[in-house]
Amino acid sequence: MKTRIAVLVSGGGTNLQALIDAELRGEIPHGEIVMVVSNNSGAYALERARQAGIPAAVVSKKECGSQAAFEARLQGILEINGVDLVILAGFMSILSEGFTKKWPNRILNIHPSLIPAFCGEGFYGLHVHEAALERGVKLTGATVHFVNEIADGGPILLQKAVEVLPDDTPETLQRRVMEQAEWQLLPQAAEMVSRQIAENR
Ligand code: GAR
């Protein structure tokens, strides 16, 4: 049986698209994206899920009223759908220890830097690339790691370095990191862990 994957998103969803495309190309033979969950009803990622025919749900922290209620709702949706592996693909909400403890080595996250540089609370999206340019690093990249109770602190699975160019803006750097690292690493990691789960069932 294939590993059942839920992809959690908040925004544009280019990493979700990379996963969908990789699955369609047969590059995630041990896994299947069974659902997409967004914490933001306006996320374009939801449209990508719709176009791919993948069921999608919105769980908003605001509507749930508290972090605990939000996570209980999320947990319920994942359980009902028999999810084995959760992939955070541009999911901009930090999950508590209570939640991550229920999914040991079963949550993956993609972060747009070479951890431990430019990571932890406050480092997300474009801010990460702004910080990298401000510090003047010549190399940055992306990291896929398992998620535990420490923000961006779980065991590292894959990393890839990307060059910073002299005229880079946060936007051009973000795009290069996505194209040269994120969109390759995340499907690769999804297959690695899906295979491990499927084989140890
Ligand atoms: C990606 O660059 C992802 O690595 C980053 O947000 C972007 C989402 O883009 N995630 C984080 O910063 C998490 N700390 P996407 O919605 O197009 O995939």
Side-chain angles (χ1 to χ4, degrees), residues 126-192:
L126 215 50
H127 299 308
V128 178
H129 305 291
E130 284 165 2
L133 289 177
E134 227 159 77
R135 185 62 186 85
V137 294
K138 304 301 174 204
L139 273 181
T140 184
T143 303
V144 177
H145 63 93
F146 287 108
V147 173
N148 64 11
E149 68 283 1
I150 303 155
D152 297 325
I156 291 170
L157 191 61
L158 294 173
Q159 284 189 311
K160 188 159 185 261
V162 173
E163 216 181 333
V164 179
L165 298 181
D167 291 336
D168 266 332
T169 62
E171 290 79 8
T172 60
L173 184 56
Q174 178 180 53
R175 182 76 193 179
R176 190 175 318 108
V177 168
M178 284 176 159
E179 283 176 356
Q180 296 185 5
E182 295 187 49
W183 299 340
Q184 299 168 23
L185 290 186
L186 195 57
Q188 225 178 305
E191 170 53 17
M192 279 171 73

Side-chain angles (χ1 to χ4, degrees), residues 9-17 45 48 88-92 109-113 120 123-126 128-129 142-143 152 174 177-178 182-183:
V9 296
S10 299
T14 64
N15 279 287
L16 166 66
Q17 193 67 55
R48 295 181 189 271
L88 310 184
F91 185 64
M92 302 304 183
N109 179 44
I110 178 101
H111 184 77
S113 75
F123 288 99
Y124 59 89
L126 215 50
V128 178
H129 305 291
T143 303
D152 297 325
Q174 178 180 53
V177 168
M178 284 176 159
E182 295 187 49
W183 299 340

